[in-house]
Each structure stands twice: as structure tokens, then as C-alpha cells.
Amino acid sequence: MYYNENMDYLKNKYDVIVVGAGHAGCEAAIACARMGAKVLLSTLNIDNIALQPCNPAIGGPAKSTLVREIDALGGVMGEAADATYLQMKMLNSSKGPAVQALRAQSDKKEYSNYMHHLIESNENIFLRQACITDLIAKDGRITGAIDEFGIEYSAQAVVLTTGTSLNGRIFVGLKSYSAGRLGEAAAIGLSESLMKLGINIKKLKTGTPPRVDKRTIDYSQMKIQPGDEVLNFYSFKPDRPIRKQYPCYLTRTNEETHKIIKANLDKSPMYRGLIHGVGPRYCPSIEDKVVRFSENPSHHIFIEPEGLGTYEVYIQGFSSSLPADVQVQMLHTLPGLEKAHIIKPAYAVEYDYVPAVQTTHSLMSKNVQGLFFGGQINGTSGYEEAAAQGLIAGINAVNYINHSEMLELSRSSSYIGTLIDDLVTKDIDDPYRMLTSRSEYRLLLRQDNADARLTPTGHKVGLVDDTQYQRFLDKQDAIAREHQRLLETKLSPSQEVNEILSKYGEHLERGCKLAELLKRPNISYKVLQEIDPETKDLNIRRDVYEQVEILTKYEGYLKRQELQVNQAGKLEKFKIPDNIDYMHIDHISSETKEKLNKIRPKTLAQASRIGGVKPADISVLMVLLDKHTFARTEN
């Protein structure tokens, strides 16, 4: 039943209001609800909950680690991706575990329906189709919001997860109109309300490729891209569904494609200066690729299904803001797409966002208590980045209401911590995308061990139930026991052992521990199962022995990175008082003072990561902290 004791929803009274039901909004709303809060989830269109408006896929390099971390904390993106995949593929599988990345091609509609069901079936979530146009704050604290119909809702916390909707404007060639994405209205009014609260607003741009009718594609001219035979999943929960997999395909641009693009650049709103927002650096439009990488005669284009219930196919790598008729010409130059029919044209969208330097690591506004931000409104790009922020913002909205300690993940604990630290510490000029290279601790922060790193935190905040937590503890115990057994068990050389080892280019001259043998490049845990009867008889689960193998093979590298974490942790221990007056500190530049004053870092470690802050500046701050001689601002 949807009733609560006081039926506060009839009075429009809630604990938390979540604005926007994309990937960030869904995670925020579900987290709040599972932590016991009554949530109003407001969205422009309830039929587009958790929509994948760009590529119908979850994961990929670095992003898969975010999804696993979301799952470990008790979020739902991994669970939804596992339930609705069309294809599962482990990228970089021949490389080390730090750069391997799972990618799920999703059934777009199924994914949205799955998340829609999670939301509607939760008795703590009250779904409403409406546009929030105004925020209500009193004495520097959020107290509610007002929608387009003038209806007022009260709440102790508000989480804004508006995606590209804020004052969104779509561009197809030189034509433009107000919209958050194709077929959906823009959110008008909320940006102005934020500015009245003293929050700075800027603009960014993103785009999406055309969708074509799969019946008009000649796949015989393309290279097939199948899924994996041995499946991997995102969620650490058991009983993931085994589904039939469907292929993607690969084609390429050519000289004729590039010729058409170059001849029509004057019709691009980007090149004509009609769009002022900066686009995503790591996901440029096809016209950007052709101009910026003019020496490259061809670019990969992936053909991806959008779902089993539609003929729509996604043309990955072909994002564009050129006119619709030019898009047709370009598309028809690609092998296999000579007769392709465009169902939806490519377009660019420019939208408002709130630079995240105005928030704390909890994703709460520094200006307004109880106001949280998550997803593209913070200047990020990608479903996974959005979901990660939404989860943290949702958790902290409830922590704020309950006067509990805020959840602020460190860079050394997670990719989520790295993502948020980058956002709140650095001035981001283009849509931020999580990359493996952004983490200095990527050997420790892998997709495979996200549960070991974050499940205890998920259990502590109340999003990982006792049953799942016990599964986690049992797995960690199994890993520790098997790792110790390999360290202690000695294998003696024999003709039978060496005959097996010879298949892998190895030979055993003298006895050695199983762990020593496993460290050899050509030896895997499966080889140990061939040569050691006890290892075979134990029948250790794959998720357990894979961890044992990683811990054994990369022991030296992992210890070295742990030392790095400990050394960096020394700067984290230098806490900076909140009321420091940076403008009165001698021996640092005016530019540095302004940046420190803007970011208000909490520790020396965070201060050291601010762009433009030099090691010499950190030394000055360290001396002042040690001597307690900071000037204080008036409270």
C-alpha cells in the first residue's frame, strides 16, 4: 500500500525531493527510499525514466568500475544492466586487470522498464510528472520546491539531477529549438531560481548520433562484433540471468565521408559560433574528429542494436550537429549503410550546468544547506558517472536529514571518490568523463575488487542487506583461505607435472610453493587445477580464484601502490579549518589565494590537487598549519 501513518504526501510533505529521473535521479531516489526517507521523484516524462538518450550501453573503460562500485554500495545500475543486456563483452581482456572493462549492450526499453518498476514498487517513492521551476530556501537551508503548476512541495533536502534539461536547446544544422533532448521539453525556470540563491550557472554541450532502421542496413559489408562466450556480470548478487546475446557490427568512414563533412562545416552550429558550451573532449562529434584528426583517413563506426522490440539501431561514433540532409549524405558513404533510412537525426544539445566547485565532497551545495547535485548538472558526461553521483547525493541527503556523518569517499577508496574529488576540486571546462588514467591508484581500484573496497560502506549506510553482506564476508574468507593455502602448499617436480607444464612453456626443476608457480606469466589458476589434485578437488568458485590469482601475480605492484596511498595519506591528515582567510596569507600568489578561497579545500591533499596550486604553496600552508598561525575569517 502507498499509505504512510500521517499521509504527508496528501499535504505535499516529503523528506527528500529528487528532480529528474535519469540515471542519477533513479539512484538518488531509490537510495533515499531504501534508507527510509519519503521521496518525491519529479520528472518531465514518466515514460522516460532511466532513458539511455545516447548509446544504449552500460560500462566500458573506467565506467565499468563505477558500475561495480555502485553495486557494491547498494545501488541498482549493475543489477539493471545484468537483467537487460543484449550483449556482454570484456574489453581489454588480454591486458592486466587494472584496465579490463566490462561493457553491456542494453535493451534500451527493457532497461528503462526495469528501473521504472523498481521505483513504482517502492512504497517510499512518490512519482510525479512535473517540471520543478523554483526552489524554496530559508536562512540558507532548502525547505522545498515549486512546480510549473504552482504546486508547492516541502522537504528537508532536494537533489537536482536534471541531465541536459536545464534551459536545453537542440541544434540540427543552423536550426534550433528549446528541448532537453529530442522529443522532450526543456526545464525552464530552475536555472534562474538557482542564480537567485547565489549559485553560478554555465553552459556545456553534448550530442548524439542518428538512429537508423536496421532493415535498411547491409550487415554483410561490416565486421561482426560478438559477445563473450564466458559471461561476466556487474552485480555481485547471485542468480544473474543468462540471456541470448546479439552482435554489434563495425564499419568505417572514408575519404568521401570526410569530403562531405568538410564541405558543410559552414552549416555546423559549432563552427558558426551558435553553440557556446564546450563539448565532451573524449567523445567528439564526427565533424570534430575529421577536423582535429585530419591526418586520419578513417574512423571506426559501431552499429549497435537499441533493443529487441525496435528496429532502431544506434550509429556509435557518428555524433553530429550538421543538417539532417547532410547527415543522410554522410551516412550513405559508409559501407553497409548506403541505403540506410534515418529514423531519428543526430543533434547537439546545449544546456545549463552548475560547476561542482560550488559543492562539497558530499555533493551538497556550499551556498544552500540541504541542496544536492548529481549527474550532468555537475558537468559530467555518461550514465555511469551520473548514477555514481546520484547514489552519493541520495545517501547524503538522508544523512543530512538524520544529522549523520556525510559519506565522502576518498580517491584511494574508489573511482567514485576520484570522480567527485576531481569535480569539486578542479575547474572543469568540458563534460567530465571518468578515465582509468584519472586515478593514480588504478592498480588497487579495479572493477573486480569493488565489493572488497565498498561493500562494508554500503552495509553501514543501510543499502546492502544482511544476506548480501554475509555472502560478501563468505567470499572474502574463501579468498583469504585459498590464498594462504597456495602460499603454504609445496609442489614437487615429477614427470607428470612437467608434461603438463611443458604445454605452457614452463618446467619445474625443484619443488616450489603453488603461489610461486602461479606468479609465472604463463601459469594461471586453471593450470594449477590441472597439476595439483587438491586444487582441482576444492572446486573453488571463479570469482574467488580470480581474486586469488590477481593477489598472487600482482603482489609486488599492489604493495607498492599501497605504499603510495599511505604516503599520500599524510597530506590528508593535515586538516584545514573551515574559516581560514586565505587572502591574508603571505608568500603565496594572489591567483593561488583566489583558487583556495573558491574551493575551500578540507585537507592539504585536496589543496595540492587544485589546478595552479604549486608544491611551494602547499609547503607554506603546511608550515602555517603546523604553527597554527592561520588568519581566521569572521563566522
Side-chain angles (χ1 to χ4, degrees), residues 321-383:
S321 60
L322 287 168
D325 60 329
V326 177
Q327 292 179 34
V328 174
Q329 295 175 45
M330 292 155 50
L331 199 67
H332 287 174
T333 66
L334 305 182
L337 294 170
E338 294 90 347
K339 298 179 181 179
H341 168 67
I342 293 180
I343 296 175
K344 296 176 183 174
Y347 62 90
V349 57
E350 187 178 48
Y351 57 95
D352 289 350
Y353 82 105
V354 175
V357 291
Q358 300 171 92
T359 67
T360 67
H361 281 77
S362 69
L363 295 181
M364 184 167 73
S365 168
K366 294 176 182 177
N367 281 42
V368 184
Q369 295 289 296
L371 178 59
F372 295 82
F373 301 89
Q376 283 182 283
I377 193 172
N378 283 336
T380 60
S381 170
Y383 312 142

Side-chain angles (χ1 to χ4, degrees), residues 273-519:
L274 300 179
I275 297 177
H276 303 288
V278 180
R281 181 181 307 179
Y282 300 100
C283 189
S285 66
I286 188 62
E287 51 264 37
D288 267 355
K289 290 179 189 176
V290 169
V291 172
R292 287 165 52 188
F293 308 107
S294 57
E295 73 285 355
N296 194 335
S298 181
H299 297 281
H300 284 110
I301 303 296
F302 292 92
I303 312 302
E304 302 175 342
E306 293 230 329
L308 299 182
T310 180
Y311 290 117
E312 286 184 53
V313 170
Y314 181 86
I315 313 299
Q316 192 199 122
F318 215 65
S319 174
S320 179
S321 60
L322 287 168
D325 60 329
V326 177
Q327 292 179 34
V328 174
Q329 295 175 45
M330 292 155 50
L331 199 67
H332 287 174
T333 66
L334 305 182
L337 294 170
E338 294 90 347
K339 298 179 181 179
H341 168 67
I342 293 180
I343 296 175
K344 296 176 183 174
Y347 62 90
V349 57
E350 187 178 48
Y351 57 95
D352 289 350
Y353 82 105
V354 175
V357 291
Q358 300 171 92
T359 67
T360 67
H361 281 77
S362 69
L363 295 181
M364 184 167 73
S365 168
K366 294 176 182 177
N367 281 42
V368 184
Q369 295 289 296
L371 178 59
F372 295 82
F373 301 89
Q376 283 182 283
I377 193 172
N378 283 336
T380 60
S381 170
Y383 312 142
E384 303 82 0
E385 290 88 343
Q389 295 168 72
L391 178 61
I392 299 302
I395 290 170
N396 283 324
V398 177
N399 286 341
Y400 167 78
I401 291 170
N402 293 337
H403 306 289
S404 302
E405 181 183 1
M406 290 293 185
L407 176 61
E408 298 184 354
L409 298 176
S410 67
R411 296 182 71 89
S412 60
S413 73
S414 58
Y415 271 28
I416 297 178
T418 304
L419 161 69
I420 293 175
D421 183 68
D422 280 349
L423 290 175
V424 304
T425 302
K426 301 172 182 177
D427 276 317
I428 305 298
D429 296 322
D430 55 272
Y432 180 100
R433 177 180 180 177
M434 191 66 213
L435 304 170
T436 307
S437 59
R438 295 195 192 273
S439 173
E440 60 271 45
Y441 306 122
R442 52 189 170 274
L443 288 180
L444 296 178
L445 309 181
R446 308 180 309 276
Q447 63 173 6
D448 61 82
N449 70 347
D451 58 338
R453 294 183 280 112
L454 295 176
T455 303
T457 302
H459 186 251
K460 182 180 178 181
V461 300
L463 292 180
V464 174
D465 63 30
D466 291 342
T467 301
Q468 179 61 18
Y469 189 58
Q470 188 58 53
R471 285 194 200 100
F472 160 75
L473 293 176
D474 292 343
K475 176 185 172 182
Q476 298 310 305
D477 182 58
I479 292 168
R481 281 188 283 107
E482 181 60 4
H483 189 218
Q484 189 62 34
R485 187 186 73 83
L486 296 187
L487 290 170
E488 296 173 352
T489 303
K490 189 170 184 178
L491 180 70
S492 299
S494 68
Q495 182 178 349
E496 182 182 0
V497 166
N498 280 320
E499 281 180 0
I500 296 172
L501 288 177
S502 66
K503 295 189 298 183
Y504 304 97
E506 296 287 349
H507 186 80
L508 203 60
E509 293 286 346
R510 56 181 178 77
C512 74
K513 299 292 174 60
L514 289 176
E516 291 178 46
L517 186 60
L518 185 55
K519 285 185 178 182

Side-chain angles (χ1 to χ4, degrees), residues 580-586 588 590 592-595 597 600 633:
I580 294 303
D581 187 352
Y582 291 104
M583 305 311 290
H584 287 84
I585 297 176
D586 295 328
I588 60 175
S590 297
T592 297
K593 291 176 184 179
E594 288 173 5
K595 289 187 175 183
N597 211 41
R600 310 295 302 177
T633 59

Side-chain angles (χ1 to χ4, degrees), residues 598-614:
K598 180 180 180 181
I599 305 295
R600 310 295 302 177
K602 290 188 174 183
T603 67
L604 277 188
Q606 187 189 354
S608 70
R609 294 190 291 271
I610 298 173
V613 175
K614 299 176 285 295

